[in-house]
Amino acid sequence: MQILINSAISNAKMNPVLSQRQALLAQRISTRHKIHMPYELKIVFCKKCKSFIAPGINSKIRLGRTSVKSIRISCNLCGHTYRKIIAQ
């Protein structure tokens, strides 16, 4: 799964169809064999539309400006925004 996701991230700019397919294969492997996907790999999938989002290519990543340090990730495909709180 790690190899497929890394390959999908590197191919996202040149060949987005191939990168979507590689990410879908990684996701299918984890569900078919009942293997939990690590958090580092889960973060590259949109929580709403479940599509592969490459950081900076088809998603926006912003730093939060509140007292709670967080990262805001916005999917450009469905428009969903979610936050990841950074521990201090």
Side-chain angles (χ1 to χ4, degrees), residues 5-73:
I5 295 295
N6 288 340
S7 179
I9 290 172
S10 65
N11 289 332
K13 199 167 212 172
M14 298 294 188
N15 196 348
V17 176
L18 177 64
S19 68
Q20 284 284 0
R21 178 74 178 145
Q22 289 170 335
L24 179 67
L25 283 173
Q27 197 172 32
R28 204 175 277 172
I29 287 170
S30 71
T31 56
R32 182 171 292 170
H33 298 291
K34 297 178 183 172
I35 300 170
H36 290 285
M37 193 176 286
Y39 182 73
E40 295 82 25
L41 301 180
K42 259 190 220 180
I43 202 168
V44 297
F45 292 98
C46 179
K47 290 184 179 181
K48 185 176 181 183
C49 66
K50 306 293 187 231
S51 64
F52 170 70
I53 51 174
I57 296 172
N58 56 359
S59 68
K60 287 189 287 187
I61 299 175
R62 301 285 186 249
L63 293 176
R65 295 186 178 169
T66 61
S67 60
V68 177
K69 301 291 182 188
S70 65
I71 297 174
R72 289 180 297 166
I73 302 171

